[in-house]
Amino acid sequence: MSRLEQMFDVRDQSVIVTGGASGIGRAYAEIMAAGGARVCIFDVDGEGIARTIDEISSTGGGVWGIEVDVADRPAMAEAFDKVADKHGGIDTVYANAGIDPGPGFLTPLGERNPDGAIENIPDAQWDRGIEINLTSVYTTVKNAVRHMKPRGAGKIIVTSSIASEINESIVGTSYMPAKAAVNHFVRHMAMELGAYGIRVNAILPGPFITNIAGGRLRNKEDRAAFEAQSLIGRIGDVEDIKGLALLLASPAGSYMTGSLVVIDGGSLIRMT
């Protein structure tokens, strides 16, 4: 094996990806499986898990899945234990699951959207947005650490968003504070867990074409609003994120912890 291959070697790693049945999470699962890792996908979408397993397995990747809601704490603890028992431990966890909590107060065309106005947001919608986009990260990290700390090693990679750094009027209101809190949590966990050999980093994607918000970025009108923010004239494809995901899970990223790594085609620069 060459020095370059050694730098990015993830063979035989035990990996969990939450929200791994589609979008960015699936991209994480694909690149890790392609590198020889043993990947378990957690997702609430059982059909999506089965489809993803079939397609990754057809390329020779080692992947399986557990249907679980990341907001169900007892079920999450059980799922982590299943992976640890099957793989003999857990090396890398991608805390990726997330949802669009509803419409923003403006449409992509800049018109007021009554459904996204603060006085009209259903409390249950707010609570679910915080539960999935923030609290589930806490649950995921907590369970990962139970298995990593005794081994003295581990990598935790959290999917945040550039929405953590800005206020975005066409995105549901709870999304920005949830992701901002995720950033602080990642840095705090890096401080706490570094002494145990556990690295904690966050990926901050800009707009990517995924199924979030019903896949609205496949819609030409919605996509145009985000393309206008990019310095390179396009929004992200999930293939664009695979290299960064591999870096943070491999020896090449061994000196990185507490990092918030932006991958957005320059959108954040333009918006700020």
Side-chain angles (χ1 to χ4, degrees), residues 98-120:
I99 60 170
D100 182 339
F105 65 86
L106 293 183
T107 71
L109 296 179
E111 300 168 343
R112 288 279 172 174
N113 181 8
D115 291 338
I118 185 66
E119 68 272 23
N120 296 328

Side-chain angles (χ1 to χ4, degrees), residues 207-219:
F208 275 74
I209 299 176
T210 69
N211 291 334
I212 199 166
R216 74 177 186 180
L217 290 186
R218 294 185 177 92
N219 176 282

Side-chain angles (χ1 to χ4, degrees), residues 200-239:
V200 188
N201 294 289
I203 294 175
L204 278 60
F208 275 74
I209 299 176
T210 69
N211 291 334
I212 199 166
R216 74 177 186 180
L217 290 186
R218 294 185 177 92
N219 176 282
K220 183 178 179 180
E221 181 181 281
D222 286 351
R223 189 169 65 248
F226 287 97
E227 287 174 338
Q229 298 169 350
S230 171
L231 297 184
I232 57 177
R234 68 176 179 88
I235 61 175
D237 183 272
V238 292
E239 290 292 319

Side-chain angles (χ1 to χ4, degrees), residues 52-73:
T52 298
I53 290 172
D54 286 344
E55 292 173 359
I56 293 178
S57 297
S58 70
T59 66
V63 62
W64 59 295
I66 298 175
E67 185 175 345
V68 61
D69 185 341
V70 292
D72 186 335
R73 291 176 179 172

Side-chain angles (χ1 to χ4, degrees), residues 136-250:
S136 80
V137 175
Y138 156 80
T139 301
T140 300
V141 172
K142 184 175 184 177
N143 282 293
V145 170
R146 285 196 298 114
H147 293 282
M148 292 176 175
K149 189 181 285 189
R151 307 175 77 199
K155 286 88 62 180
I156 299 171
I157 300 142
V158 179
T159 304
S160 181
S161 169
I162 63 168
S164 63
E165 302 289 329
I166 58 172
N167 294 95
E168 179 54 74
S169 58
I170 66 176
V171 177
T173 297
S174 71
Y175 194 78
M176 279 70 68
K179 292 299 186 178
V182 162
N183 289 1
H184 283 281
F185 182 63
V186 163
R187 290 188 291 252
H188 192 73
M189 288 298 96
M191 289 173 61
E192 178 180 346
L193 299 173
Y196 301 97
I198 301 170
R199 296 190 291 108
V200 188
N201 294 289
I203 294 175
L204 278 60
F208 275 74
I209 299 176
T210 69
N211 291 334
I212 199 166
R216 74 177 186 180
L217 290 186
R218 294 185 177 92
N219 176 282
K220 183 178 179 180
E221 181 181 281
D222 286 351
R223 189 169 65 248
F226 287 97
E227 287 174 338
Q229 298 169 350
S230 171
L231 297 184
I232 57 177
R234 68 176 179 88
I235 61 175
D237 183 272
V238 292
E239 290 292 319
D240 294 319
I241 210 163
K242 288 182 175 180
L244 177 55
L246 179 61
L247 167 68
L248 293 174
S250 69

